[in-house]
Amino acid sequence: MADEQGKFRKVIYPDRGILFDRKGRAILQNTIIYDLMVTPAKLKGVDTFALCRILNIDTAEFRKRIITAIIKNKSYRPSVFEALLGEEKIAKLNESMYKFVPAFYLQERPVRDYPYDAAGNILGYLSEVDSSFLKKHVGEGYQIGDYTGWTGLEHNYEKVLMGQRGIEFWKRDNKNRLTERLEEGRYDTAAVAGQNMHMALDIQLQMLGEKLMENKVGAIVAIDPRTGGILAMVSTPTYKPKLLTGSERKKHFAELLLDPRLPLMNRTVNSTYSPGSTFKTLQGLVGLHEGVITPSTTFACSGAFYGCGRPMRCLDPGVFKLKEAITHSCNTYFANVMQRVINNPKYPNVDSSLRVWDRYMYSFGLGHKLGVDVPSEKNGKIPTPKTYSSLYGEGHWNFCTFRSVSIGQGEVDVTPLQVANEMAYLANKGWYKTPHLIDSIEGGDTYGMLTKFNEKHTAVDIPDSVFEAVHDGMQGVMETGTGAYAKVPGVVVCGKTGTVENAYKGVKQKDHAFFAAFAPRENPQIAIAVICENAGFGASSAAPIASFMIEQYLKDSIADPIRKAKVEAISKLNLMPARIYRELRYRDSLMHLKDTSYLLTKGYIKIIKDTMDMDEQDNQEALDKLKKAKQKEDQKKKELPGNINNKPNLEGILPDEKKKPVKDSLQ
């Protein structure tokens, strides 16, 4: 006891690794903040009332925190009493710290700092480890009070970024003040900083993408097709990463968690969509390589595809070869192409021909996770014979059952990342590298985390001439077709627009706007996909956004004043889907009525938890916040006269489909 009274063991937390963008700009670095630590066994004689006044808590909250600390970490071990103190509290504590020793002390801790305050969905955030985390990571050096990367790159590269803690032993005087290092630091161990990492990301391009996507729901992914490096990864609505660091973190997290726009969700890898007409480029590749068409094969379109009885309409009637069919996005042409692929006589039945088609799509990077280095990537969906046999029964389906797949609708789903990677595959004429954000790690890739990003994926050997034929059509899109509005001055772009039918809770919505492209045609340096949910034609919103992103990356700026003005106009263009505003009104109405259970019923918290691997502690804190608000409102209501029948009538507030909360779903 005397020995413990006379010395102090101080943990030194290392700086986490710094992240640099492709031009060497630090986009994720460190600053110092303080945690207030407590050792419950040493509380005797401490002026707890003075501490409560400084921290603005009552004695009940004080006791609750002490009990929690004992349960989590025993009474004789230091635990975090209040994390990430603000400047005002630090100043007050420093003045009065002598009143609170030896039970309390201030622990320095490096926390994240964001010079650009962008890319929140990519970078992720840190969270304090809990008992369940410690059970999963036994022997990895974590202890209560430590922080770990919980989402994004902070999570995926935790082993690289975390570094190693150090320990210092200090002498104490008879007033518990630290005086000097014990035996001149003989027993100390130095902290080792985490490894710095260099990204493929261009932070200026990322910021432009986030600006262009303001007031919109959707995503942008831009890839360097030569390396697979991700140049920009935008998911909107998003959040500023500074919100999830510092003393206000818990408050901001609760607000973000309960936002029906799902700003914590990374739509680039975790949302799936029908690809629409962007899919026609791949159908052209398959048709050419299978030999069922040539670049000069023509199909006549009178305004619809009638090959299966019920018409599937087209926008532009005419007689088209492949180039013109891609340029004008003819549904009839590509329905005929896929019908020939599926009914190809060299395969014994429709099962085997669809399996061949499936292999092409998988080789293009669809229907499976690509292996990107951010968490929560989804597979997407490519239909198989099993898909249709389970829906219609074995032997009771044929091409006409799934003709809509030929134009990127029906049972095919993709992530925005997969579409951008598909463009990289087309640009490279038959290969791609796994998309990734981290290019290199200072000090070496000790854990072999980057090895897979150097591998070329070339599952199918398709001649360059086949790709050239498809490129001709994609160039035509940008010169005379649906993408002509989105030309990039002085750059030959190969692109494809898409207008994607969709439904929400069984109700048809305004079409999604899709656009995908690569540029320049010769020696491509960027492949890109843009989706704006419920924004209508891809040519009017998604295509111009991609155009500005391509110009910014290839020319390092947008110099033309007219195009600069268009950037501002698009950033101010409000394309937020009407359903989002209904959800916001619905949430606000129910919160006003103190109905917290709807959040669980509608699945907001479950959605975020499942997609973001959310911290259980944060989950509970968000619910606690709502429960407290509900209790306060209930108390006010009791104090009002005539409160028994004082319930507002929701009939005049909410639309019909919102009168009964139903389980939410994501596309």
Side-chain angles (χ1 to χ4, degrees):
M1 290 177 63
D3 187 52
E4 180 64 21
Q5 186 70 20
K7 70 179 182 182
F8 175 72
R9 180 182 181 273
K10 183 179 182 181
V11 177
I12 306 300
Y13 287 96
D15 285 344
R16 287 178 71 87
I18 298 172
L19 267 63
F20 299 94
D21 85 336
R22 67 188 300 106
K23 294 185 178 179
R25 296 170 289 211
I27 64 173
L28 179 57
Q29 55 191 25
N30 301 294
T31 188
I32 296 296
I33 202 164
Y34 291 86
D35 291 343
L36 181 62
M37 308 294 292
V38 64
T39 306
K42 299 180 179 181
L43 275 172
K44 187 176 180 181
V46 171
D47 188 348
T48 56
F49 287 102
L51 183 63
C52 287
R53 283 195 297 272
I54 291 173
L55 299 180
N56 195 27
I57 61 175
D58 56 25
T59 53
E61 175 65 17
F62 180 91
R63 285 192 296 271
K64 177 184 173 183
R65 294 186 187 185
I66 294 299
I67 292 169
T68 301
I70 293 171
I71 292 172
K72 289 169 63 176
N73 205 26
K74 309 297 183 185
S75 64
Y76 53 87
R77 292 177 182 161
S79 298
V80 176
F81 187 80
E82 182 159 332
L84 310 176
L85 296 163
E87 291 182 3
E88 183 179 349
K89 287 182 180 178
I90 285 288
K92 291 179 179 178
L93 283 169
N94 278 328
E95 289 178 359
S96 307
M97 203 66 206
Y98 68 92
K99 298 178 182 179
F100 313 130
V101 293
F104 290 90
Y105 66 92
L106 292 172
Q107 172 73 62
E108 284 186 7
R109 185 185 298 279
V111 295
R112 289 315 215 178
D113 182 51
Y114 304 89
Y116 294 93
D117 208 15
N121 292 103
I122 300 171
L123 300 175
Y125 64 88
L126 304 179
S127 187
E128 185 181 351
V129 303
D130 56 19
S131 56
S132 62
F133 179 91
L134 293 176
K135 288 177 183 177
K136 293 178 185 176
H137 299 270
V138 175
E140 296 183 22
Y142 292 101
Q143 61 187 36
I144 289 293
D146 287 352
Y147 280 69
T148 185
W150 215 267
T151 60
L153 294 175
E154 293 274 31
H155 172 75
N156 266 28
Y157 290 94
E158 169 68 12
K159 290 190 291 187
V160 176
L161 294 169
M162 65 181 291
Q164 297 177 19
R165 288 188 303 272
I167 303 293
E168 290 179 357
F169 293 93
W170 288 76
K171 292 181 180 179
R172 277 181 168 143
D173 63 15
N174 61 350
K175 293 185 178 180
N176 285 301
R177 294 173 298 196
L178 302 184
T179 55
E180 60 183 7
R181 304 277 274 276
L182 184 66
E183 296 193 23
E184 298 180 346
R186 180 185 301 178
Y187 302 108
D188 295 354
T189 56
V192 178
Q195 292 173 266
N196 298 335
M197 302 195 301
H198 294 264
M199 304 177 68
L201 189 87
D202 184 318
I203 192 60
Q204 294 293 345
L205 189 66
Q206 177 75 20
M207 292 172 69
L208 174 63
E210 292 187 12
K211 178 176 181 176
L212 290 166
M213 290 295 289
E214 287 178 2
N215 302 309
K216 304 165 186 70
V217 176
I220 304 173
V221 180
I223 297 174
D224 184 339
R226 301 164 297 184
T227 65
I230 295 174
L231 307 172
M233 185 178 247
V234 177
S235 173
T236 56
T238 186
Y239 65 93
K240 299 298 184 183
K242 285 181 180 177
L243 293 177
L244 296 186
T245 189
S247 57
E248 297 290 300
R249 175 191 178 278
K250 292 180 181 179
K251 171 189 171 185
H252 294 146
F253 190 94
E255 292 169 352
L256 292 170
L257 175 64
L258 303 177
D259 190 332
R261 291 168 292 191
L262 303 177
L264 293 172
M265 181 181 186
N266 188 349
R267 287 175 167 85
T268 65
V269 294
N270 200 251
S271 284
T272 60
Y273 309 87
S274 296
S277 294
T278 61
F279 200 58
K280 293 172 181 175
T281 56
L282 302 184
Q283 298 284 39
L285 278 184
V286 175
L288 289 169
H289 194 239
E290 282 293 293
V292 298
I293 61 167
T294 69
S296 59
T297 299
T298 59
F299 291 104
C301 175
S302 60
F305 172 70
Y306 293 97
C308 293
R310 185 166 54 89
M312 185 167 69
R313 304 210 171 274
C314 286
L315 292 175
D316 297 318
V319 178
F320 299 110
K321 297 178 182 178
L322 177 64
K323 176 182 177 181
E324 290 77 20
I326 294 175
T327 298
H328 296 284
S329 200
C330 177
N331 288 347
T332 296
Y333 188 97
F334 291 99
N336 276 292
V337 170
M338 189 173 184
Q339 187 174 39
R340 287 191 177 188
V341 170
I342 297 301
N343 295 335
N344 194 335
K346 73 178 182 179
Y347 301 113
N349 52 48
V350 69
D351 281 56
S352 55
S353 59
L354 182 57
R355 291 184 196 281
V356 170
W357 183 85
D358 286 337
R359 285 196 291 272
Y360 278 106
M361 294 303 154
Y362 288 128
S363 71
F364 300 154
L366 305 181
H368 60 89
K369 294 179 182 179
L370 292 168
V372 67
D373 51 352
V374 290
S376 304
E377 181 186 6
K378 283 193 174 178
N379 289 316
K381 182 170 66 177
I382 292 295
T384 65
K386 183 178 179 181
T387 304
Y388 296 115
S389 292
S390 63
L391 287 172
Y392 304 105
E394 193 167 345
H396 291 84
W397 55 273
N398 56 32
F399 165 74
C400 289
T401 310
F402 55 88
R403 62 176 187 164
S404 58
V405 170
S406 64
I407 59 170
Q409 297 277 176
E411 293 79 24
V412 58
D413 276 327
V414 296
T415 66
L417 175 70
Q418 289 173 335
V419 178
N421 186 66
E422 164 197 324
M423 291 296 112
Y425 178 88
L426 289 168
N428 293 329
K429 298 178 182 176
W431 61 270
Y432 69 88
K433 291 186 177 181
T434 300
H436 57 278
L437 285 156
I438 301 301
D439 269 347
S440 64
I441 300 172
E442 289 184 13
D445 183 15
T446 306
Y447 302 101
M449 301 180 76
L450 308 183
T451 304
K452 66 179 181 179
F453 301 139
N454 295 318
E455 178 188 354
K456 276 188 179 182
H457 298 275
T458 54
V460 181
D461 186 15
I462 300 176
D464 284 1
S465 58
V466 170
F467 287 97
E468 290 291 348
V470 173
H471 291 184
D472 287 342
M474 295 176 72
Q475 184 175 337
V477 168
M478 305 305 295
E479 292 179 349
T480 61
T482 51
Y485 178 70
K487 289 180 181 178
V488 179
V491 179
V492 177
V493 178
C494 292
K496 187 70 191 80
T497 56
T499 304
V500 182
E501 294 183 1
N502 66 97
Y504 182 70
K505 297 181 180 178
V507 179
K508 191 178 186 307
Q509 304 291 306
K510 187 176 181 180
D511 294 338
H512 294 327
F514 232 136
F515 182 78
F518 66 86
R521 177 171 177 174
E522 301 301 325
N523 188 27
Q525 298 171 50
I526 182 172
I528 190 167
V530 180
I531 182 167
C532 296
E533 292 188 19
N534 308 121
F537 289 108
S540 61
S541 55
I545 288 172
S547 170
F548 294 124
M549 295 288 284
I550 291 170
E551 182 175 358
Q552 171 67 36
Y553 181 68
L554 295 180
K555 299 185 177 183
D556 210 32
S557 66
I558 298 172
D560 185 342
I562 295 176
R563 285 182 66 78
K564 277 186 176 180
K566 287 182 179 178
V567 168
E568 296 299 323
I570 287 181
S571 71
K572 293 174 183 176
L573 180 64
N574 191 340
L575 297 175
M576 193 69 69
R579 61 181 172 80
I580 295 293
Y581 289 112
R582 288 198 297 270
E583 292 288 346
L584 286 167
R585 288 195 298 271
Y586 184 45
R587 179 201 64 176
D588 292 345
S589 297
L590 287 170
M591 288 187 78
H592 181 68
L593 289 172
K594 307 155 299 291
D595 183 355
T596 59
S597 62
Y598 91 102
L599 291 163
L600 295 176
T601 305
K602 291 190 65 58
Y604 290 144
I605 291 175
K606 183 179 185 301
I607 289 167
I608 294 298
K609 183 179 183 298
D610 290 346
T611 60
M612 298 292 294
D613 298 322
M614 190 182 70
D615 186 352
E616 291 288 350
Q617 181 179 345
D618 289 326
N619 178 12
Q620 190 57 49
E621 286 166 354
L623 287 174
D624 287 346
K625 176 185 175 184
L626 285 175
K627 288 175 182 176
K628 288 180 181 177
K630 181 179 185 298
Q631 289 168 358
K632 288 181 180 178
E633 290 293 329
D634 285 343
Q635 185 60 38
K636 288 180 182 178
K637 183 179 173 183
K638 288 178 182 178
E639 295 171 359
L640 293 174
N643 65 79
I644 295 176
N645 297 310
N646 196 27
K647 290 186 178 180
N649 183 7
L650 268 182
E651 298 291 320
I653 300 175
L654 302 179
D656 291 341
E657 68 271 22
K658 297 297 185 181
K659 291 176 184 176
K660 292 183 179 179
V662 294
K663 186 177 180 182
D664 206 354
S665 61
L666 284 177
Q667 295 177 351

